[in-house]
Amino acid sequence: MNHIAKAVEEVKALLGDRLSTAPAVLNTHGENETYFPHTPPDAVAFPNGASEVSEIVKICARHNCPIVPWGVGTSLEGHALPVRGGITLNMQNMADVIEVMDADLAVRVGPGITRERLNAELRATGLFFPVDPGANASLGGMAATRASGTTTVRYGTMRENVLGLEVVLADGRILRTGSTAKKSSAGYDLTKLMIGSEGTLGIITELTLRLQGQPEAVSAAVCSFPSVADAVNTVIASVQMGISMARMELVDPNSMKAINDYSNLNYPLEPHLFLEFHGSSAGVAEQADIVGDIAAENGGTDFQWTSKTEDRTKLWHARHNAYFATKAQFPGQLGLSTDVCVPISKLAEAIAETQADLEAHKITGNIIGHVGDGNYHTLLFAPPEDKDALNLNLKLAGRMAERALRLGGTVTGEHGIGMGKMKFMEAEHGAGWQVMAEIKRALDPQNILNPGKVVEIN
């Protein structure tokens, strides 16, 4: 019996039927949203709490068995694939709202709860959790990948919205970080160390999150432009004027066609900005007027503004389905979704170069993004059997990453590293990548926590 089989046997004795080796369960946990090969684990565990996670980790440490946390599997860089086998920890049984601390604008939750479910449970309190990556991801997964999304321009990323964590380390110790205090200068910030570590330094078993009050008024607007550059220049001018928008989303013509077809809409096949404003009734109206004027100066037309809930819901439902809308344009093909982030002053240049690169290679690629913070995405497709097409897509994604670094940005604004972007880490961080590896060795010397992701230590 090999080391993984021994670990599986002992975890089975601990969990009983909450440890599964059923082919259907294994196959589900070997899938991913993009081009990586199907990679099932040896077993899937469904722990009920931190103490069980700790016991599982101790067993796996004794047998040198890899452990990979799993939320709902929405990551895009192969983060949750068990590339060295082992046990996947499915956190679905740890999905409770543990405590709402409304006076402190905070909530404690299990890692398996999704952002949509959390906000549904918070509705009666007048509070909400603002980070919105589009997908209905688990909060543990969002913290592990330092997720952000459509509302980052106003509310920040998971880094700004996680106050504290409970984490199981590679030796089974249970660590609590942070607090609900507004600030602290007490030593190293272990909360921030764990956020974005992608399950390679510890397994998140509880989160304390910052909440926001529901705004008095919310309005949305949509506007078309002659070119992507005109739309981006509108974003840059609005940000530089200090207008506090909640969402600023760019949709290019290819994406607009996909959204129209998928959501039964009829927007012009031109670059668009989707916008949202939060604040007082007078404030959101004033913000919309100012942005409408800026858009007009940049050639924007058909500026449609609304405060009706049903209209806003329809608009953002269409935007959030852009990934699936684009996939529907390429049935049966493998998608490659990649993102970069650049300083806002370099955004127009970066997108223009990306467009030119796609056109030069005769690739139909969609560009869409959270451009209020300089983050944009491309989605490229290739037939599964066409290795040359996939390799070309990977090459173009690599050129995007190199372009972002040249312009003073980062190879990923929100998708994370996983396996897909490890090759760019040294170029972005230099000696810092080696420091990351040293931290990994210190906290996980056996390399059992999600091995093969972010850093490589053996």
Side-chain angles (χ1 to χ4, degrees), residues 220-225 234 245 273 275 277 284-285 287-296 300-306:
V222 61
C223 184
S224 62
F225 292 85
T234 298
M245 277 174 290
L273 288 180
L275 309 167
F277 309 88
V284 298
Q287 290 167 1
D289 284 344
I290 295 171
V291 175
D293 290 342
I294 295 171
T301 58
D302 196 24
F303 188 88
Q304 300 175 39
W305 178 84
T306 181

Side-chain angles (χ1 to χ4, degrees), residues 62-76:
R62 284 199 299 271
H63 297 292
N64 201 28
C65 174
I67 313 163
V68 180
W70 176 279
V72 291
T74 57
S75 57
L76 294 169

Side-chain angles (χ1 to χ4, degrees), residues 171-352:
D171 59 5
R173 282 180 293 171
I174 299 175
L175 174 72
R176 296 199 74 93
T177 75
S179 72
T180 53
K182 289 295 183 185
K183 60 182 179 179
S184 171
S185 54
Y188 301 141
D189 193 335
L190 297 180
T191 304
K192 298 296 191 294
L193 176 64
M194 291 296 167
I195 296 170
S197 64
E198 300 185 9
T200 63
L201 301 181
I203 298 166
I204 296 171
T205 53
E206 185 184 300
L207 305 92
T208 302
L209 304 172
R210 174 178 285 118
L211 301 178
Q212 301 287 335
Q214 291 283 355
E216 173 192 323
V218 178
S219 69
V222 61
C223 184
S224 62
F225 292 85
S227 71
V228 168
D230 293 320
V232 171
N233 287 333
T234 298
V235 171
I236 293 171
S238 299
V239 169
Q240 290 176 341
M241 285 186 65
I243 299 170
S244 182
M245 277 174 290
R247 306 182 203 250
M248 300 182 75
E249 297 292 296
L250 171 70
V251 181
D252 80 344
N254 289 337
S255 302
M256 202 72 256
K257 180 183 185 307
I259 287 172
N260 280 345
D261 292 347
Y262 191 81
S263 298
N264 195 29
L265 300 172
N266 60 355
Y267 288 112
L269 299 184
E270 297 173 344
H272 279 70
L273 288 180
F274 289 7
L275 309 167
E276 188 167 279
F277 309 88
H278 293 182
S280 66
S281 297
V284 298
E286 181 182 19
Q287 290 167 1
D289 284 344
I290 295 171
V291 175
D293 290 342
I294 295 171
E297 291 172 3
N298 285 284
T301 58
D302 196 24
F303 188 88
Q304 300 175 39
W305 178 84
T306 181
S307 59
K308 292 182 179 178
T309 301
E310 58 271 27
D311 292 339
R312 290 190 292 104
T313 300
K314 186 176 181 180
L315 179 70
W316 293 112
H317 182 73
R319 167 61 185 88
H320 283 150
N321 280 329
Y323 175 78
F324 300 105
T326 304
K327 284 184 71 172
Q329 302 281 306
F330 299 90
Q333 296 196 26
L334 290 175
L336 188 160
S337 178
T338 190
D339 83 308
V340 297
C341 190
V342 297
I344 194 75
S345 63
K346 303 294 185 180
L347 183 59
E349 181 180 352
I351 292 179

Side-chain angles (χ1 to χ4, degrees), residues 12 33 38 79 137 164:
K12 179 71 172 177
E33 291 282 354
H38 183 249
H79 303 79

